[in-house]
Structure formats: structure tokens, C-alpha cells
């Protein structure tokens, strides 16, 4: 009887162990992550094609021709007129009441481009201005200022027009986007605007001296209109 009881207990134990073994979940299979896609390497920039000396010379001559065409259009514009009077805030050499040289005075701006110019007396401080008048008041559309060799063209900060009643109207102010034009001996500062409803008899160009250091020179100022 004791033996039978022992055998029964042993068989129950084995059955219970087998049942637990069946209930144990199988290990989940290992899933490998997909390999990251490899980005294609950027294409190498195409090597610059060097110009031959002949091509460089042709490009240089084309730039000169373009400049000459532009300048001829301005100089011979039938709707353009040159300043008849001129005055300025300062003149080179007028320190302490001294008489400045004729080569620097504002009246050199009067008339068309002739290689004579006005030179201010400040290199890097304050503001200077050049004021010009015209013989025939017009409804204006453009103002052109000639800077010999580009000296001062980057320092222009404001352009005003004067109507026949003497009122000044600002048509532009800010930082000059004009750089020295190395194609020729003159750099043209040009501002185009909608035709004025009033007749223009004068113009005033203000220069911020610290924006472009050095003395500023203006050769002529042309007003366009009809």
C-alpha cells in the first residue's frame, strides 16, 4: 500500500512538471533590423572651365563697350539737363576760413561732365550735401550723379528734389547699392522714380562720410524729365 502511494505521488509530480514545461512560452525569434539605406554621395562639382587669354580679352572689351554704350546714352539723353547752379556744405581746403582751391569748389559741378569736380572737406565724420539748381523745371523721372573714379558713390544716403515752391521732397534714402564702376573713369549713381506730380527745379544729394572713408568728389548732376 505504501509502495502504491509512493508511485502515485511520483507520477503526479512528473505530470505536473510536464504540464509546466508545455505552458512555458517559446523564445521569440530574433528579428534583425533592416540595414539603413545609404544616401548617395553628392555629385562632385563640375570643374570650372578656364578661359583662354583670347576669351578674357574679348570679355574685357565687351565690358568696355557696354560701359561706353550706357554712358553715351546718359550723356546724350534729350530729356536730360545739367545743373545750372551748385552749392555745398563744405569744400576741400576751406578750414578756418581759408579760401579753397578752384579745383574743388561746388561750381565745378555746373554743366556737363568735363573732368572738373567738387570735393568735400570731410573724410569720415558727419554729413555733407551738394545742392544743384536747373534752368528748366520739369516733371522728373530720374537723377544721375557722376562720381569721378567712384570716390564717394557708396556714401550717398539721401536724394531730395525741390519743387517750384521751394519745398524739398525725399525720393530716396538708405544705403547706396552702387559700387565703383571699374569699366570706366566715372561711376554713375542713378535713381529712377515715378514721374513727379510737381515741377522740379533743384536736387540735393546728402553724403554720410563715415560710410565710405576719404574725400568725396562729384563731377556733374543730370536731371531727367519733361
Amino acid at each position: 500500500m505504501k509502495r502504491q502511494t509512493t508511485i502515485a505521488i511520483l507520477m503526479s509530480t512528473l505530470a505536473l512538471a510536464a504540464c509546466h514545461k508545455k505552458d512555458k512560452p517559446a523564445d521569440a525569434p530574433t528579428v534583425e533590423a533592416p540595414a539603413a539605406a545609404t544616401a548617395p554621395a553628392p555629385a562632385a562639382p563640375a570643374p570650372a572651365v578656364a578661359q583662354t587669354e583670347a576669351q578674357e580679352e574679348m570679355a574685357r572689351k565687351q565690358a568696355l563697350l557696354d560701359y561706353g554704350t550706357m554712358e553715351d546714352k546718359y550723356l546724350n539723353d534729350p530729356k536730360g539737363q545739367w545743373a545750372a547752379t551748385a552749392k555745398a556744405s563744405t569744400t576741400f581746403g576751406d578750414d578756418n576760413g581759408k579760401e579753397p582751391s578752384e579745383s574743388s569748389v561746388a561750381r565745378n559741378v555746373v554743366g556737363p561732365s568735363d573732368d572738373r569736380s567738387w570735393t568735400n572737406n570731410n573724410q569720415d565724420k558727419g554729413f555733407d550735401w551738394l545742392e544743384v539748381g536747373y534752368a528748366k523745371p520739369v516733371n522728373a523721372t530720374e537723377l544721375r550723379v557722376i562720381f569721378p573714379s567712384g570716390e564717394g558713390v557708396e556714401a550717398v544716403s539721401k536724394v531730395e528734389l525741390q519743387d517750384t515752391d521751394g519745398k524739398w521732397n525725399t525720393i530716396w534714402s538708405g544705403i547706396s547699392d552702387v559700387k565703383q564702376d571699374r569699366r570706366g573713369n566715372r561711376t554713375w549713381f542713378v535713381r529712377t522714380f515715378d514721374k513727379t506730380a510737381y515741377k522740379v527745379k533743384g536736387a540735393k544729394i546728402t553724403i554720410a562720410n563715415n560710410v565710405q572713408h576719404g574725400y568725396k568728389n562729384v563731377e556733374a548732376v543730370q536731371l531727367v524729365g519733361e
Side-chain angles (χ1 to χ4, degrees), residues 91-175:
T91 301
F92 177 74
D94 64 1
D95 305 84
N96 301 318
K98 295 178 182 178
E99 189 69 24
S101 168
E102 282 293 316
S103 62
S104 303
V105 296
R107 59 176 169 268
N108 290 337
V109 176
V110 172
S113 172
D114 57 4
D115 297 326
R116 297 185 305 140
S117 63
W118 160 72
T119 304
N120 75 333
N121 200 37
N122 292 299
Q123 296 194 65
D124 58 6
K125 64 180 179 180
F127 292 81
D128 274 313
W129 51 261
L130 173 69
E131 183 182 323
V132 295
Y134 296 92
K136 179 185 177 183
V138 295
N139 297 104
T141 57
E142 194 166 88
L143 191 75
R144 302 166 182 161
V145 187
I146 300 177
F147 287 83
S149 303
E151 298 169 354
V153 70
E154 295 181 39
V156 178
S157 63
K158 185 165 63 173
V159 175
E160 299 168 88
L161 300 179
Q162 186 181 39
D163 63 24
T164 51
D165 292 329
K167 179 184 176 182
W168 288 101
N169 304 273
T170 300
I171 59 163
W172 175 85
S173 65
I175 303 298

